[in-house]
Amino acid sequence: DSVKVPLICSLTLQKMKYPGRTVFCKHFACFDIYNFILLNSQAKLPKWQCPICKASAYKFEIDCIMNSL
C-alpha cells in the first residue's frame, strides 16, 4: 500500500521550503508553513485554517520526511 502526496505547495504552486501541517490535521499532505504564515500575516482577513482540511492553524509541525526530499 502506498500514499501519494504532492511536493508542490497548494498555496504557492512552488516546491515547499518548510513542508508541514497543523497538529490537528489528519491528512499526510503538506503545505509550506513559511508561506502560509507570510500570506496570512499580510491578509486583511487572515484565515488561520489549514488550506487542505480547514483545521485550526495555530500550532504546526514540520514533516521531516517531506523536508528531506
Side-chain angles (χ1 to χ4, degrees), residues 30-47:
C30 295
F31 56 90
D32 192 319
I33 294 174
Y34 175 82
N35 284 319
F36 175 80
I37 293 171
L38 185 67
L39 291 170
N40 272 298
S41 65
Q42 295 174 351
K44 288 184 180 181
L45 295 170
K47 293 185 179 178

Side-chain angles (χ1 to χ4, degrees), residues 7-41:
L7 299 176
I8 303 297
C9 177
S10 60
L11 296 170
T12 62
L13 302 178
Q14 298 176 351
K15 186 173 186 255
M16 294 179 264
K17 292 181 184 177
Y18 300 100
R21 63 188 74 80
T22 78
V23 296
F24 308 106
C25 294
K26 305 283 187 235
H27 52 81
F28 292 109
C30 295
F31 56 90
D32 192 319
I33 294 174
Y34 175 82
N35 284 319
F36 175 80
I37 293 171
L38 185 67
L39 291 170
N40 272 298
S41 65

